[in-house]
Amino acid sequence: MMPESSSVRQNELGPDYFGYFKHLFFELFPQSGDRASPSPPSNLESLLGYPSGQVEGIVSPNNVVEDKSCYHSASFFTRVIGEELSEYKKERLKAILHHATVCLNQEADEVFGCILTTLLIELDLQDKRQLSCHSSFSNEEICEPLCNKKRKSSSLDHFGGCSNPFGVNTQLRTKVYNEIQAVKGDGAICMEAVEKYSDKINEKLTEMEENIDEYLDMVVSKCRPMTKAEKQQLGRRIQKLPGEALGGVVDIFRQRNSSATDFPDDVFVNLEELDNVTLWRLYFRVQAVVKSKEL
């Protein structure tokens, strides 16, 4: 028997979107001599889980309509990245960033759906414990598969009295249910299996968070140096943020200064002393907050 290839093992875990989009990004921005470029995967189709020949059309300049809204008359925060690239590569960069956002959002939505489904199963388990105390229910009713079970009285009623209050699709609910069964190895759905599956989801979230931070750092590392006037403008925008949004700004500063472990409640940040990557991470976080308020 031939040894299982790494690409096959990767596809069992799901498409490696981070590896794929990092490779495409590094193709546009070859690394300098002091920092080696990661070796590209031998087969991008297998990396993403697509049949051979289907990847070529996924990320191309023709897939993204040029957005000229960023080239407004104001001189602040324009032409941030890729000015040294040819027009073709600039369009390809837009396509890569756009599709990376779409794919990573879809992956995050699926994980979120798994979390909600796990919560519903946990609530159903709690109901089963209560139902098992009543002799009026048969063992067959108590052991009925949770994802198909319909009862008039359930903890789900606390979420609006419907069997699918969060809008999680049936296919995903069945997938999560089967995965939790597999955790125990004997097909049993119990709190122990749910807890183990929850730990697995937490590990996935941690991995995703680390990968996203790495990807964002990689992208903004290619941004041009922020001007002094832009730093002053960024400082004014940060000061105008609502209190609940400042936590995200502080988180970026802490992540980028991991050596400092003791922070006071009130953090004073001198933007003039921050590195360029941190400055642009702060800028895009602020922009995300501003756009969310405009929606």
Side-chain angles (χ1 to χ4, degrees):
M1 181 179 293
M2 294 181 63
E4 187 179 34
S5 68
S6 59
S7 61
V8 172
R9 290 194 297 271
Q10 176 61 55
N11 288 337
E12 289 178 351
L13 298 175
D16 181 11
Y17 292 118
F18 290 103
Y20 176 67
F21 288 111
K22 281 171 63 178
H23 167 75
L24 294 180
F25 188 87
F26 277 121
E27 278 189 330
L28 295 179
F29 295 93
Q31 299 299 288
S32 58
D34 59 340
R35 188 177 174 187
S37 174
S39 56
S42 58
N43 190 331
L44 289 179
E45 284 85 355
S46 63
L47 182 67
L48 264 184
Y50 290 98
S52 179
Q54 290 190 8
V55 168
E56 183 178 356
I58 294 175
V59 179
S60 75
N62 295 328
N63 291 337
V64 174
V65 177
E66 183 178 4
D67 180 10
K68 297 183 179 180
S69 61
C70 62
Y71 300 116
H72 48 71
S73 58
S75 59
F76 296 122
F77 310 112
T78 59
R79 304 184 184 277
V80 172
I81 185 173
E83 276 302 289
E84 72 276 21
L85 300 178
S86 65
E87 290 302 316
Y88 172 82
K89 286 190 174 182
K90 286 179 183 177
E91 293 303 310
R92 184 166 174 79
L93 174 61
K94 292 178 185 179
I96 291 171
L97 295 179
H98 170 77
H99 284 282
T101 302
V102 171
C103 289
L104 298 182
N105 277 337
Q106 289 175 347
E107 188 174 21
D109 287 343
E110 181 174 355
V111 174
F112 182 62
C114 292
I115 294 172
L116 294 181
T117 305
T118 305
L119 172 62
L120 296 179
I121 292 176
E122 184 175 351
L123 292 173
D124 257 352
L125 282 174
Q126 295 174 359
D127 279 353
K128 283 179 62 179
R129 290 178 177 178
Q130 296 176 0
L131 293 174
S132 63
C133 298
H134 297 80
S135 57
S136 58
F137 290 91
S138 66
N139 289 335
E140 182 179 353
E141 289 175 316
I142 294 174
C143 297
E144 186 179 350
L146 298 175
C147 59
N148 298 322
K149 197 173 184 66
K150 297 181 180 178
R151 297 193 303 271
K152 293 182 180 180
S153 177
S154 170
S155 295
L156 299 182
D157 293 336
H158 295 296
F159 294 93
C162 58
S163 61
N164 191 14
F166 300 113
V168 180
N169 65 69
T170 303
Q171 184 178 2
L172 179 59
R173 294 163 69 194
T174 303
K175 173 178 176 290
V176 172
Y177 183 84
N178 292 336
E179 288 179 350
I180 292 179
Q181 282 184 313
V183 167
K184 274 286 284 182
D186 55 4
I189 292 289
C190 61
M191 290 304 296
E192 179 186 356
V194 172
E195 289 174 359
K196 287 183 177 180
Y197 185 77
S198 297
D199 291 341
K200 177 182 175 182
I201 292 295
N202 285 332
E203 292 177 2
K204 175 66 174 178
L205 286 174
T206 300
E207 179 185 2
M208 288 180 65
E209 183 178 10
E210 292 174 351
N211 284 333
I212 289 175
D213 276 333
E214 180 184 351
Y215 186 76
L216 290 175
D217 282 347
M218 179 192 69
V219 172
V220 298
S221 69
K222 299 303 180 181
C223 291
R224 60 166 174 78
M226 187 176 290
T227 67
K228 184 174 182 178
E230 287 173 333
K231 294 176 186 178
Q232 294 171 348
Q233 181 74 0
L234 176 59
R236 286 190 286 268
R237 294 186 182 185
I238 291 176
Q239 291 175 350
K240 293 180 181 179
L241 288 177
E244 64 271 15
L246 289 174
V249 172
V250 174
D251 285 342
I252 291 177
F253 177 72
R254 289 177 173 174
Q255 291 169 3
R256 300 289 304 169
N257 293 270
S258 56
S259 57
T261 57
D262 188 19
F263 284 89
D265 293 335
D266 296 326
V267 179
F268 174 78
V269 179
N270 185 352
L271 297 183
E272 291 292 339
E273 297 178 354
L274 298 182
D275 62 89
N276 202 53
V277 170
T278 303
L279 287 170
W280 286 112
R281 287 290 301 270
L282 290 173
Y283 166 74
F284 288 116
R285 173 59 67 92
V286 171
Q287 283 298 97
V289 173
V290 172
K291 288 185 178 180
S292 67
K293 297 296 181 182
E294 293 176 351
L295 295 179

